[in-house]
Amino acid sequence: MVTKKENTPARKARRRYEEKNKDKRQAASGNFQTMIPREKYDEISAFLKANNITKVQLIYAGYNALLSAQQPKQD
């Protein structure tokens, strides 16, 4: 059976802060919440760690690459 942890003053303060700032945080950032196979996830994570690249940098680089590929070619 799952039991709740005791409400300490710090927990109460953190909950109040989270409740007050929830809308501001959601307006400032987003999350794609994607699922990929564990093997591919581990491979990507190892690559990122070995090359000191963040997941956010990966998303931006992939987005920019897709944008470039989608732009009409000019003669």
Side-chain angles (χ1 to χ4, degrees), residues 1-74:
M1 183 172 161
V2 178
T3 59
K4 283 188 170 184
K5 293 184 179 181
E6 180 182 342
N7 280 338
T8 64
R11 285 179 196 265
K12 289 179 184 178
R14 185 171 40 241
R15 286 190 194 113
R16 280 193 307 271
Y17 174 84
E18 292 296 326
E19 183 65 33
K20 205 165 42 169
N21 294 290
K22 181 179 180 180
D23 293 334
K24 187 190 323 181
R25 279 195 333 276
Q26 286 180 342
S29 62
N31 186 343
F32 290 110
Q33 295 187 358
T34 59
M35 299 280 291
I36 60 172
R38 173 54 70 175
E39 297 81 25
K40 187 56 74 175
Y41 173 81
D42 291 339
E43 179 184 337
I44 293 169
S45 292
F47 172 80
L48 295 177
K49 187 172 185 177
N51 293 287
N52 199 27
I53 300 170
T54 67
K55 291 176 184 169
V56 173
Q57 289 172 315
L58 173 68
I59 291 169
Y60 279 124
Y63 173 66
N64 288 330
L66 288 171
L67 271 179
S68 297
Q70 294 297 320
Q71 290 179 353
K73 295 185 174 141
Q74 297 177 356

